[in-house]
Amino acid sequence: MGKADRKRWDGNVRSMAIVAKPRDEITEAEIQFLRENYTSAGGLLPNAYAGGAFFTPTHVARFIVEALRGLSGGIASGSRWLEPSCGSGVFIEHIPDDAEITALEIDDLSAKVTSLIYPHANVIQGDAFLHDRRDYYDFVVGNPPYGVTIDVAVEALPDTFETLKVTKGRARGKSECAFIELAIKAAKPGGYIAFVLPKGIGFGNQTAKIRELMRDTCWHVASIELPGTTFALTGTTIPTDIHILRKVTPNAAKVFVKYTQRGRVDVVEQAEEMASGTFWYAGQMPVLQASITDIGYDKDGRSTDKWGDGLTQLDELLEAFEDTLMRENTDPVAPFDGVEKSGELVHAFSVKVPPHEAWRTKREMMAYWNVLTLGRGEDIVSDGGVDSSFDFGWQDRIVNEYYAELDRTGNGLTPEKEAA
């Protein structure tokens, strides 16, 4: 065990002793120790102890919360947040205190630590898949466990999961896929989902079902590739991406498109369903993609801060979430065929650096670009209306119209109701 691992181990052992004390005997100094030192045992024991969980670096969690703040035009007081695998609560650290926060954690020690550090949050110790709040949360965030099997009694589930296979009364499936489905179920229509996920989600054959579910239920906002050093301090170099989605409202119609090339230029054209390669929902903006090459430290945990300002490439990228999610003077590219021989368009869930941005990553610089969805600003016909694919208020209007109708009648609009 190296020096860094020994420090983490000792910090967790002392944390266990603090949590074992009666609540009224735990001092503020001890709670501060928990805040600064408890990380859970992810990466210290085989299989990451609590089911494939690795504690999230605080600046990664901060980036996710701040990106959502930018996308939402600010975080409203009383907004509803869910962290379905909260560990020691690193995401809660950055969520406003006046939010309604629900934090789920299966590990008893982590749940106790989080409840002490963040008494304003509703920390629930138990299996996240028994949580039955549906269509409720404004934001679902987290870094769910990877590479382990979810195994829960079918009769205990509040509803069915497409990502869990039922055998002999047990529902089992890949943890990362099942947590995405849980997030989609829990988010309200128009709500945001932001997860750190293993890179294979974007292209692996075993994750095709969850990609299809994301495509069928969400607007795709952004995908950001993180360097292998991101989780080096927990003993893994697993490639990861941040994916940000927004759950579609029922009134968002499908828009079918096909991709072609004219010379070296990618072209997106609206098409009939039978002639289409894929679809996006009305309101879909070009997907922001980025490749981060420097997370702020190297594989041994040594700082890579050259300027001494404590900022990283993630901090620089936040600017993109405060405006239109379009990088100036960058040629958008079409989604690529990410699954060999199947012809499946991966809907830009896989971060693939295009040639005109590759030079940046070779120089260990951040690169970001846009993946085309509904075209290069062309007019899109949907439900009898005409909108521009570069109209960045279109998606919000669709969400607002849904909730306005819901407030007026108690029944939100759907394309079928609008047609009637």
Side-chain angles (χ1 to χ4, degrees):
M1 182 178 291
K3 184 182 295 184
D5 285 348
R6 171 56 63 185
K7 182 179 179 181
R8 284 187 58 216
W9 183 276
D10 291 344
N12 288 334
V13 169
R14 184 179 170 192
S15 297
M16 292 173 65
I18 293 172
V19 170
K21 296 168 62 175
R23 176 63 184 90
D24 59 0
E25 294 181 14
I26 298 175
T27 67
E28 288 301 316
E30 288 173 325
I31 291 176
Q32 186 61 28
F33 177 88
L34 295 175
R35 184 191 297 270
E36 295 174 354
N37 293 277
Y38 181 74
T39 61
S40 82
L44 293 174
L45 296 176
N47 203 23
Y49 180 59
F54 294 94
F55 76 89
T56 310
T58 186
H59 68 297
V60 175
R62 181 180 70 244
F63 167 82
I64 288 175
V65 173
E66 291 305 308
L68 294 175
R69 185 191 300 277
L71 289 168
S72 305
I75 297 173
S77 177
S79 58
R80 300 164 175 173
W81 293 72
L82 173 67
E83 217 289 50
S85 180
C86 71
S88 56
V90 65
F91 284 89
I92 304 173
E93 177 74 23
H94 305 287
I95 299 171
D97 289 349
D98 62 359
E100 178 189 318
I101 304 171
T102 302
L104 312 178
E105 176 54 48
I106 197 168
D107 177 61
D108 183 60
L109 175 61
S110 294
K112 288 178 180 177
V113 169
T114 302
S115 64
L116 287 169
I117 300 174
Y118 308 105
H120 62 287
N122 179 24
V123 181
I124 301 172
Q125 191 277 320
D127 193 325
F129 293 91
L130 307 186
H131 188 65
D132 61 0
R133 273 274 170 83
R134 299 292 182 256
D135 300 314
Y136 182 78
Y137 296 98
D138 298 291
F139 304 98
V140 184
V141 296
N143 174 24
Y146 313 154
V148 294
T149 299
I150 299 299
D151 186 344
V152 61
V154 173
E155 62 183 18
L157 289 172
D159 46 25
T160 59
F161 278 73
E162 294 182 29
T163 53
L164 298 179
K165 184 178 180 180
V166 175
T167 306
K168 297 180 179 180
R170 306 295 297 182
R172 298 182 176 89
K174 290 176 65 69
S175 54
E176 54 268 40
C177 296
F179 269 97
I180 297 171
E181 184 173 1
L182 175 62
I184 293 170
K185 288 174 177 288
K188 75 176 189 180
Y192 287 94
I193 299 162
F195 271 1
V196 182
L197 294 164
K199 196 166 183 61
I201 287 288
F203 57 85
N205 287 324
Q206 291 183 329
T207 54
K209 181 176 289 187
I210 194 60
R211 285 197 302 276
E212 182 178 353
L213 182 62
M214 290 190 287
R215 181 193 67 180
D216 288 346
T217 58
C218 296
W219 287 297
H220 187 178
V221 178
S223 290
I224 301 155
E225 181 181 48
L226 300 176
T229 52
T230 302
F231 293 95
L233 298 180
T234 61
T236 182
T237 56
I238 183 172
T240 54
D241 295 331
I242 297 171
H243 292 291
I244 303 178
L245 312 173
R246 191 179 191 186
K247 187 171 176 177
V248 297
T249 48
N251 60 326
K254 291 179 179 179
V255 179
F256 294 90
V257 296
K258 63 180 180 180
Y259 297 97
T260 56
Q261 278 198 322
R262 292 175 187 163
R264 294 185 177 182
V265 178
D266 292 317
V267 177
V268 183
E269 297 176 308
Q270 192 170 354
E272 296 297 322
E273 181 174 356
M274 294 300 294
S276 171
T278 192
F279 73 85
W280 304 85
Y281 283 100
Q284 174 67 54
M285 296 178 286
V287 177
L288 177 76
Q289 293 210 323
S291 178
I292 301 297
T293 61
D294 186 345
I295 201 66
Y297 45 81
D298 63 18
K299 64 181 180 63
D300 297 313
R302 292 186 293 262
S303 173
T304 55
D305 182 2
K306 299 177 182 178
W307 309 110
D309 58 7
L311 300 178
T312 70
Q313 291 179 353
L314 279 177
D315 296 294
E316 181 183 348
L317 184 61
L318 273 177
E319 295 178 5
F321 289 86
E322 296 172 357
D323 193 7
T324 62
L325 290 178
M326 285 287 288
R327 180 177 174 185
E328 294 181 3
N329 304 320
T330 295
D331 185 28
V333 296
F336 69 100
D337 179 356
V339 181
E340 227 172 296
K341 298 182 181 178
S342 75
E344 176 197 353
L345 284 167
V346 297
H347 243 233
F349 287 117
S350 184
V351 182
K352 183 178 182 181
V353 181
H356 62 267
E357 287 292 295
W359 68 272
R360 296 178 187 272
T361 58
K362 288 179 181 178
R363 297 186 183 185
E364 297 186 345
M365 297 169 61
M366 177 184 69
Y368 70 97
W369 61 97
N370 292 96
V371 173
L372 290 169
T373 56
L374 299 178
R376 297 173 179 272
E378 290 89 351
D379 289 339
I380 299 298
V381 178
S382 173
D383 295 332
V386 179
D387 293 274
S388 166
S389 60
F390 282 3
D391 178 353
F392 294 93
W394 185 15
Q395 189 177 110
D396 285 336
R397 288 198 302 274
I398 290 173
V399 174
N400 292 338
E401 287 167 4
Y402 171 73
Y403 281 103
E405 180 67 11
L406 201 63
D407 289 342
R408 188 178 71 84
T409 66
N411 294 290
L413 286 171
T414 66
E416 291 77 15
K417 291 179 181 178
E418 288 180 330

